[in-house]
Amino acid sequence: MMVIKLNKLIILLLCLCFSVNAAEVNKSLYRTPNTDNLLYLELNTGLIIIELNPLFAPKHVAQIKKLVRANFYHGLSFYRVIDGFVAQAGTSIDEDDGSENFKISDKSLQLKLEPWLSSIGNKTFTLVQSPDLFASQTGFIEGFGAAQSSGSLQTWLTHCPGVVGMSRNKEPNTATTDFYIVIGQAPRYLDRITTIFGRVILGMDIVQKINRGDKNNNGVFDYANNATVIKSMVIASDLPINKQYRVLIERTDTVAFKKKLHTRLVRPDNFFYRKPPQVLDVCQVPIMTILL
């Protein structure tokens, strides 16, 4: 019985999603995402919900929506999956050069890199840490882990577990159709190197069930039929209301969230009889999703 409970707890933490009664929720601490920016990715093992980010990647989000609405991804697979790194999906099943460079799918769809913003407008940047190993400071913008340069001249999204980015070849402006989900430790060295256009808000346990590729072939499957197949991808707003999932996402611009950050920084619980250094990695702060 203890094993069953523990497994359920692990799955719950991976999902970072809780099913509750709407009356029990303090809705002032949560936001309702725009259904036009929610992507339902259905695999044979379950549903993954991705929140798209048109603020940071408007052209990539527009292209993803166009491809999804054309049923482009139906029946395609996660053809390159490296345990502890990324799960990459799309059209290519060719062998690559053994490096960590991504691949071109269709040159006619090539996009220019959208690595950062020079201004976030009226959006709130909630500080997590300054300085950060990879940036002057890190924080959150509407649930997305972000980093900023000195003087806030540039702001970009960070490669935390669960983020979704566009695959590319060695040249910067070669992203087309293929995408990846970060499934392991945060590869922050990819920040601003590829374009992040979304993040998983529900179903990381499903993401972790994606079949891993050949570790001796840079994660690429020797045989395509071993790869996890995409059953469907749809934009939530394209479905009838009764077919849409009702979700709330924890706000990262509240006093309560700042208190949460402080607690994770100082670790006041008696379990920490020896206090760890007061360092807080933006990729180690869970953002809660509630399924109503």
Side-chain angles (χ1 to χ4, degrees), residues 66-124:
K66 179 180 178 180
L67 292 168
V68 167
R69 286 170 170 148
N71 293 321
F72 175 85
Y73 294 102
H74 179 77
L76 297 182
S77 65
F78 284 87
Y79 63 85
R80 177 178 181 256
V81 186
I82 301 175
D83 197 28
F85 184 40
V86 299
Q88 184 173 336
T91 59
S92 179
I93 56 172
D94 298 324
E95 292 186 1
D96 62 14
D97 60 5
S99 71
E100 289 183 345
N101 296 299
F102 299 106
K103 306 172 77 63
I104 291 179
S105 301
D106 183 348
K107 291 184 179 180
S108 68
L109 295 171
Q110 285 184 356
L111 291 164
K112 288 186 176 181
L113 199 64
E114 295 179 291
W116 61 71
L117 289 177
S118 57
S119 172
I120 59 173
N122 62 355
K123 302 296 183 181
T124 299

Side-chain angles (χ1 to χ4, degrees), residues 175-208:
T176 55
T177 61
D178 294 11
F179 65 91
Y180 61 89
I181 304 174
V182 175
I183 60 174
Q185 299 181 24
R188 291 283 306 282
Y189 55 86
L190 288 178
D191 291 356
R192 295 183 288 180
I193 299 298
T194 58
T195 298
I196 295 171
F197 64 85
R199 71 180 185 92
V200 174
I201 62 168
L202 186 151
M204 274 303 292
D205 57 324
I206 305 302
V207 172
Q208 294 296 352

Side-chain angles (χ1 to χ4, degrees), residues 247-290:
V247 297
L248 296 176
I249 302 174
E250 183 179 15
R251 287 176 53 187
T252 54
D253 61 350
T254 65
V255 172
F257 185 75
K258 290 180 180 179
K259 289 180 179 178
K260 172 180 174 177
L261 292 177
H262 180 72
T263 298
R264 294 184 71 84
L265 179 67
V266 302
R267 302 291 181 179
D269 193 279
N270 290 335
F271 173 82
F272 296 98
Y273 70 94
R274 181 179 293 117
K275 299 300 180 184
Q278 291 192 8
V279 176
L280 186 56
D281 183 351
V282 68
C283 291
Q284 294 296 319
V285 181
I287 305 300
M288 297 299 133
T289 297
I290 291 178

Side-chain angles (χ1 to χ4, degrees), residues 151-170:
S152 304
L153 298 178
Q154 296 177 351
T155 306
W156 59 92
L157 300 181
T158 54
H159 273 82
C160 297
V163 302
V164 188
M166 211 71 165
S167 307
R168 65 167 178 82
N169 203 344
K170 291 182 180 180

Side-chain angles (χ1 to χ4, degrees), residues 189-239:
Y189 55 86
L190 288 178
D191 291 356
R192 295 183 288 180
I193 299 298
T194 58
T195 298
I196 295 171
F197 64 85
R199 71 180 185 92
V200 174
I201 62 168
L202 186 151
M204 274 303 292
D205 57 324
I206 305 302
V207 172
Q208 294 296 352
K209 293 178 182 178
I210 294 172
N211 292 340
R212 271 46 172 176
D214 183 356
K215 64 181 180 180
N216 296 316
N217 191 28
N218 201 27
V220 177
F221 284 90
D222 287 334
Y223 303 98
N225 59 359
N226 291 334
T228 299
V229 175
I230 296 172
K231 292 179 64 177
S232 67
M233 288 177 70
V234 296
I235 305 298
S237 59
D238 291 348
L239 297 174

